[in-house]
Amino acid sequence: MAEQHSSKGIMWATIVVAAILIAIIYPLTANKGGSTATTGNAADEADIRIQPVAKFELAKAAPAAATGPRDGATIYNTVCGACHNTGAAGAPKIDDKGAWAPRLAQGKDALIKSVTNGKNAMPPKGGATLSDEEIKGVVEYVIGKAK
Ligand code: HEC
């Protein structure tokens, strides 16, 4: 009798352990199956998976767009402002209309020539690599600001 009791006990213990194992494992497998089966989750996962690719495409597109001529304001702020905002190297300050008046009087073409070839303390093209089109654009920007 006692032996029968203990083997029944082992049987119940086994069933309980099995039930606990199933209770633990079943949700895990169910979850896995669920996330790939539900379209909503699958779409989210797809979004996450293509994200790095989308970012890479943007990064690739940005320099391509930047190979076109940069606008006058951009060039002025990155190249010319170093001297013409502060008056460094004796440069006429952008907001010093008195200093610009006689220079502007030379006409746009003369100013473009000065910037292209450099003038005294100003290095050719302000020391940067600029296309003719970009020089024209930035000189027009300077004229607009200085007059
Ligand atoms: C290293 C400093 C420096 C940088 C950078 C610089 N300039 Fe100048 N710039 C000068 C100086 C100094 C003068 C005055 C030259 C002179 O008349 O002796 C000057 C003069 C000018 C003039 C008048 C030229 C003339 O014929 O009177 C223009 C226009 C001009 N700069 C535009 C620009 C533009 C546009 C840029 C950017 C592409 C630029 N500068 C970058 C220092 C600089």
Side-chain angles (χ1 to χ4, degrees), residues 82-96:
C83 292
H84 287 282
N85 281 345
T86 59
K93 283 176 81 172
I94 192 76
D95 55 1
D96 185 349

Side-chain angles (χ1 to χ4, degrees), residues 21-108:
L21 283 178
I22 288 167
I24 292 168
I25 291 165
Y26 181 71
L28 292 180
T29 55
N31 236 348
K32 259 192 198 163
S35 66
T36 45
T38 25
T39 44
N41 278 352
D44 285 352
E45 278 179 26
D47 272 349
I48 291 162
R49 263 188 245 115
I50 64 166
Q51 237 177 26
V53 177
K55 276 184 191 148
F56 173 70
E57 289 300 335
L58 283 178
K60 231 173 51 174
T67 54
R70 291 161 290 175
D71 71 320
T74 304
I75 295 170
Y76 179 82
N77 288 323
T78 53
V79 180
C80 323
C83 292
H84 287 282
N85 281 345
T86 59
K93 283 176 81 172
I94 192 76
D95 55 1
D96 185 349
K97 297 193 189 321
W100 279 103
R103 298 180 187 276
L104 298 184
Q106 300 175 89
K108 190 166 88 180

